[in-house]
Amino acid sequence: MKTLRPLFLALLIGTFTTLSGSAFATTPEDLNHDADQAVHALTSTNPTAANIAKQAKAVLIFPNLVKAGLIFGGAYGEGILKQDDRIDGYYNSVTASFGWQIGAQSYGYVVFLMNDKAIKYIHETHGWEIGVGPTVVVVNEGVAKNLSSTTLKDDAYAFIFDQQGLMASLSIEGTKISHIRNP
């Protein structure tokens, strides 16, 4: 078992390095383009996301995040906040986790901000810790079946998409979204 640990760690680092190229946009233009493509892909394939997008006051888009872990784990990606079809800021998403986990993966997520309270919170805090502040509902197939234009009552709705790689985990995670000047 001890001889496999260094080999596995090297494999994990190699996978993280390979996947991480997609998590960091090289220019603001690249990030803007990737974000627009991500929202289009999500809303064109997910009717619930398309309906929520029509009612959202702003949208926080993280097109590419990379996650890796071996007991301790983390994820990182950069994104944009769009309001009224204009870019309202650049953000990063940092996740730390601890628990039984192994592997690496890349994914994206979009958070639809439904009211002024959620928008004000993201502008006025020095980092939004998911689970603190506005209520965020992560929409999966089960939640989506119960959502309609009349049942949208929460502050924000998040959709995770385009998961690639292999990550087995049973962990406690904390995600913080912070404003950055330049991606």
Side-chain angles (χ1 to χ4, degrees):
M1 182 69 173
K2 282 188 172 189
T3 58
L4 291 177
R5 183 177 281 160
L7 179 62
F8 178 74
L9 189 55
L11 179 64
L12 186 62
I13 290 169
T15 303
F16 183 73
T17 303
T18 302
L19 290 173
S20 67
S22 65
F24 312 111
T26 56
T27 66
E29 292 78 22
D30 290 340
L31 185 54
N32 300 344
H33 176 74
D34 292 349
D36 286 342
Q37 281 189 322
V39 170
H40 175 72
L42 175 65
T43 57
S44 66
T45 59
N46 187 319
T48 303
N51 288 333
I52 291 174
K54 291 175 189 172
Q55 297 180 47
K57 292 199 171 220
V59 60
L60 193 54
I61 310 155
F62 292 95
N64 300 301
L65 288 97
V66 174
K67 178 179 183 179
L70 179 62
I71 308 299
F72 294 98
Y76 181 83
E78 295 172 346
I80 64 172
L81 176 66
K82 286 186 93 170
Q83 188 173 0
D84 301 322
D85 286 328
R86 67 176 174 75
I87 296 168
D88 195 25
Y90 293 94
Y91 291 80
N92 66 22
S93 174
V94 179
T95 301
S97 56
F98 173 75
W100 189 90
Q101 57 190 318
I102 191 169
Q105 72 177 165
S106 65
Y107 61 97
Y109 73 88
V110 171
V111 180
F112 295 104
L113 305 173
M114 305 306 289
N115 54 43
D116 293 330
K117 172 187 167 189
I119 296 167
K120 181 179 177 184
Y121 190 84
I122 199 162
H123 281 297
E124 292 182 356
T125 59
H126 297 289
W128 177 12
E129 294 179 43
I130 301 293
V132 177
T135 305
V136 179
V137 174
V138 177
V139 180
N140 58 25
E141 288 183 37
V143 171
K145 289 178 185 177
N146 296 316
L147 287 178
S148 69
S149 58
T150 57
T151 61
L152 295 175
K153 304 216 185 300
D154 290 295
D155 300 320
Y157 293 89
F159 290 80
I160 298 170
F161 59 91
D162 200 22
Q163 293 173 300
Q164 299 174 13
L166 183 60
M167 184 81 183
S169 72
L170 179 58
S171 61
I172 300 169
E173 297 189 32
T175 298
K176 185 172 184 178
I177 298 169
S178 301
H179 185 262
I180 55 176
R181 292 188 184 194
N182 296 314

